[in-house]
């Protein structure tokens, strides 16, 4: 069995089609697109629970993290 490395430009219609075909065949993994949604949910939950540090300005923040 051989391994090939190719470059596909996913910005083109043909490139997107090739990548979609390879994903359907299971040859390349499907990427889960989170776009930071889970991190945002965790941050909002921490804020509601009071697990945040509130600072008036950046200097106060620097003092709190030292």
């Amino acid at each position: 069995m051989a391994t090939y490395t190719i470059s596909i430009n996913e910005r083109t219609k043909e490139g997107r089609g090739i990548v979609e075909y390879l994903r359907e065949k299971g040859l390349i993994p499907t990427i889960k697109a989170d776009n930071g949604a889970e991190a945002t949910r965790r941050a909002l939950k921490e804020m509601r629970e009071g697990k945040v540090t509130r600072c008036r300005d950046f200097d106060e923040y620097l003092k709190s993290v030292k």
Side-chain angles (χ1 to χ4, degrees):
M1 183 168 148
T3 301
Y4 297 97
T5 303
I6 59 172
S7 297
I8 300 172
N9 185 355
E10 292 185 68
R11 294 180 183 172
T12 64
K13 182 178 179 182
E14 293 84 10
R16 286 189 301 270
I18 292 169
V19 171
E20 183 178 329
Y21 173 77
L22 293 172
R23 283 195 178 119
E24 287 175 1
K25 294 296 180 184
L27 298 173
I28 57 175
T30 303
I31 301 169
K32 290 185 177 180
D34 185 11
N35 297 331
E38 185 58 35
T40 302
R41 284 188 202 101
R42 281 194 314 266
L44 290 172
K45 180 181 175 187
E46 288 176 7
M47 185 180 72
R48 282 188 220 107
E49 293 172 353
K51 297 179 181 177
V52 295
T53 303
R54 297 182 189 263
C55 303
R56 290 184 212 156
D57 56 16
F58 189 67
D59 291 328
E60 189 177 328
Y61 166 75
L62 288 177
K63 290 177 186 175
S64 70
V65 295
K66 287 185 179 180

